[in-house]
């Protein structure tokens, strides 16, 4: 064994026990919100032998890599200094294609990336940015992995027994009007169908299953045949909880009001790009602009993330004046045609 190997082993022994030493992607999970995306469920093992799960998006890998490059990559590739280190390559961004297929395809490359990254010299593993990336946050610890497909042995056979549904005792409702959902999380309903109820989302929305599809729908479109069991907590259940965002599409022909439900916490601040993308999908119009009403009642156009932050801040200042449902965001969004300059009724 060389002197360098002995030194490396000695440095490793002195690392804290909570330093991550291996990381493996256990699965991918779809996250529905202002924009749908996939995140990687990663099993992390520390030097002290503990194991836990963290949840990271590809863009978090990208940000980590950029930060580490700015700190440790040598200015010239053939020269290495005392505080420089050659980093493993990170798979590049993909702008077109099926999101699930892209995420699945990245798993082997990201596993290799993390293996090589955590195999760098011991001093590198003490970097604060790297440690925070693999650190299990409170938000990570509160989530429950769904499948962990890639941690199962290949020889394992899982037999699923589907419980029989008692059609006469299950909570259910009859669809009274056709309803077309605005996204993947919302059901499409036809008059006369019977939908089996799973849980109450909030005062106006329910979650149920019909035609082998599960999603949410407005209660006003159905007639309850057998109600859900009483619950002390609104929205209580094992399914996802949703928050509603009230949106107004302002056009020359009138105002189209929508309560858009997303799987996001009320404290979430979406990015301008994600919010614009989501509103285009909801209203099926591409040439749109986002706006909000200020304290004087005038419409202010939103053009970037700083405007989103200002919109939310001003809306929270008016919470005491406006009464909203528990599951509704404190801010409302006014969507106009991008070419309609009449919304500029304040001095910009």
């Amino acid at each position: 064994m060389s002197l360098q190997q002995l030194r490396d082993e000695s440095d490793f022994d002195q690392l804290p026990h909570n330093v991550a030493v291996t990381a493996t992607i256990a699965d991918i999970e779809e996250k529905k919100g202002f924009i749908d995306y996939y995140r990687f469920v990663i099993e992390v093992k520390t030097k002290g032998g503990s194991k836990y799960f963290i949840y990271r998006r590809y863009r978090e890998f990208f940000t980590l890599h950029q930060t580490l490059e700015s700190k440790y990559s040598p200015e010239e590739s053939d020269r290495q200094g005392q505080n420089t280190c050659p980093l493993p390559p990170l798979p590049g961004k993909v702008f077109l294609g099926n999101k699930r297929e892209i995420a699945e395809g990245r798993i082997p490359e990201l596993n290799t990336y993390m293996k090589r990254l955590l195999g760098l010299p011991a001093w590198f593993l003490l970097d604060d940015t790297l440690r925070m990336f693999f650190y299990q946050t409170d938000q990570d610890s509160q989530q429950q992995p769904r499948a962990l497909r890639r941690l199962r042995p290949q020889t394992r056979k899982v037999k699923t027994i589907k419980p029989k549904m008692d059609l006469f005792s299950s909570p259910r409702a009859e669809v009274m009007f056709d309803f077309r959902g605005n996204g993947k999380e919302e059901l499409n309903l036809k008059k006369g169908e019977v939908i089996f109820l799973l849980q109450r989302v909030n005062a106006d929305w329910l979650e149920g299953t019909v035609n082998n599809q599960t999603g949410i729908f407005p209660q006003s479109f159905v007639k309850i045949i057998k109600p859900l069991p009483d619950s002390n907590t609104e929205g209580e259940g094992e399914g996802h909880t949703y928050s509603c965002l009230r949106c107004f599409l302002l056009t020359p022909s009138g105002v189209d009001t929508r309560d858009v439900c997303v799987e996001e916490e009320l404290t979430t601040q979406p990015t301008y790009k994600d919010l614009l993308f989501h509103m285009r999908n909801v209203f099926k119009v591409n040439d749109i602009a986002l706006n909000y009403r200020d304290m004087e009642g005038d419409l202010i156009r939103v053009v970037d993330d700083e405007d989103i932050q200002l919109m939310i801040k001003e809306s929270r200042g008016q919470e005491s004046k406006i009464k909203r449902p528990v599951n509704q965001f404190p801010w409302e969004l006014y969507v106009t045609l991008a070419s309609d300059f009449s919304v500029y009724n304040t001095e910009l």
Side-chain angles (χ1 to χ4, degrees):
M1 183 178 292
S2 66
L3 290 174
Q4 182 62 44
Q5 288 175 312
L6 285 172
R7 180 185 174 186
D8 289 344
E9 284 192 8
S10 175
D11 289 343
F12 182 82
D13 290 340
Q14 295 179 44
L15 287 175
H17 287 298
N18 62 353
V19 168
V21 292
T22 64
T24 306
I25 295 176
D27 206 348
I28 60 170
E29 292 183 357
E30 186 178 17
K31 182 72 174 173
K32 298 177 183 294
F34 293 105
I35 186 170
D36 297 349
Y37 61 89
Y38 283 87
R39 60 184 183 178
F40 300 95
V41 184
I42 304 170
E43 183 187 55
V44 178
K45 297 180 181 178
T46 66
K47 181 189 171 224
S50 61
K51 294 191 297 184
Y52 52 79
F53 291 104
I54 61 174
Y55 301 79
R56 299 292 182 266
R57 295 178 65 176
Y58 169 78
R59 70 183 186 185
E60 292 175 278
F61 277 95
F62 188 81
T63 301
L64 169 71
H65 190 75
Q66 283 189 314
T67 303
L68 295 178
E69 270 194 328
S70 66
K71 286 183 177 181
Y72 302 113
S73 287
E75 294 182 3
E76 299 179 19
S77 58
D78 58 340
R79 291 187 179 182
Q80 294 185 29
Q82 185 176 1
N83 296 319
T84 61
C85 188
L87 300 176
L90 177 73
K93 291 184 176 181
V94 179
F95 297 97
L96 296 174
N98 180 277
K99 292 181 180 180
R100 183 177 185 88
E101 292 176 358
I102 292 172
E104 289 278 7
R106 277 179 170 152
I107 291 177
E109 294 175 309
L110 288 178
N111 274 334
T112 300
Y113 175 77
M114 290 188 294
K115 181 179 179 180
R116 292 178 177 175
L117 199 63
L118 295 176
L120 291 175
W123 62 265
F124 183 84
L125 301 184
L126 293 175
D127 178 83
D128 290 339
T129 305
L130 184 69
R131 294 185 69 179
M132 284 305 301
F133 180 86
F134 288 106
Y135 177 74
Q136 187 186 43
T137 64
D138 290 340
Q139 188 176 3
D140 290 327
S141 63
Q142 292 168 4
Q143 300 182 63
Q144 185 68 33
R146 298 173 191 169
L148 305 181
R149 294 170 300 139
R150 293 179 172 267
L151 294 186
R152 293 179 177 175
Q154 294 182 357
T155 56
R156 178 181 177 184
K157 293 182 179 180
V158 180
K159 184 178 180 181
T160 303
I161 301 175
K162 192 173 182 179
K164 294 181 180 179
M165 181 177 287
D166 185 348
L167 300 181
F168 296 101
S169 64
S170 300
R172 59 197 185 279
E174 180 185 356
V175 180
M176 304 304 292
F177 311 97
D178 291 350
F179 173 73
R180 184 177 179 181
N182 287 323
K184 294 179 181 179
E185 66 272 14
E186 296 182 14
L187 288 175
N188 293 320
L189 304 178
K190 291 185 178 179
K191 182 179 178 180
E193 290 180 329
V194 174
I195 182 166
F196 293 95
L197 308 178
L198 300 177
Q199 69 162 333
R200 175 171 293 282
V201 177
N202 59 28
D204 302 313
W205 287 74
L206 297 167
E207 184 177 33
T209 180
V210 63
N211 298 326
N212 294 321
Q213 299 292 322
T214 298
I216 62 175
F217 59 93
Q219 181 174 331
S220 57
F221 279 70
V222 302
K223 176 184 177 182
I224 303 297
I225 300 173
K226 182 177 176 61
L228 287 161
D230 290 335
S231 172
N232 294 328
T233 305
E234 187 177 88
E236 184 178 0
E238 295 181 358
H240 299 302
T241 57
Y242 294 86
S243 302
C244 290
L245 170 62
R246 179 149 293 178
C247 305
F248 303 90
L249 177 62
L250 310 181
T251 64
S253 59
V255 180
D256 184 3
T257 304
R258 300 279 184 91
D259 279 335
V260 180
C261 288
V262 294
E263 190 182 326
E264 298 280 9
E265 296 180 359
L266 293 177
T267 55
T268 300
Q269 179 181 314
T271 65
Y272 169 77
K273 181 179 178 182
D274 290 352
L275 202 54
L276 182 64
F277 179 86
H278 195 62
M279 290 301 104
R280 284 171 174 166
N281 283 340
V282 168
F283 292 109
K284 309 303 179 188
V285 181
N286 286 325
D287 187 29
I288 60 174
L290 307 183
N291 313 269
Y292 72 94
R293 288 202 182 278
D294 65 7
M295 293 185 179
E296 285 72 39
D298 294 326
L299 283 178
I300 307 297
R301 184 160 290 188
V302 175
V303 296
D304 55 26
D305 290 344
E306 289 186 4
D307 287 342
I308 296 286
Q309 186 177 2
L310 181 61
M311 172 186 73
I312 295 174
K313 182 179 179 181
E314 289 202 8
S315 299
R316 290 194 183 280
Q318 302 180 60
E319 280 186 293
S320 58
K321 302 178 184 178
I322 304 174
K323 217 172 182 181
R324 292 190 174 96
V326 176
N327 285 60
Q328 186 172 313
F329 285 93
W331 43 278
E332 295 176 339
L333 201 62
Y334 293 81
V335 181
T336 61
L337 300 179
S339 56
D340 184 5
F341 288 93
S342 64
V343 298
Y344 283 86
N345 48 23
T346 58
E347 187 175 349
L348 297 182

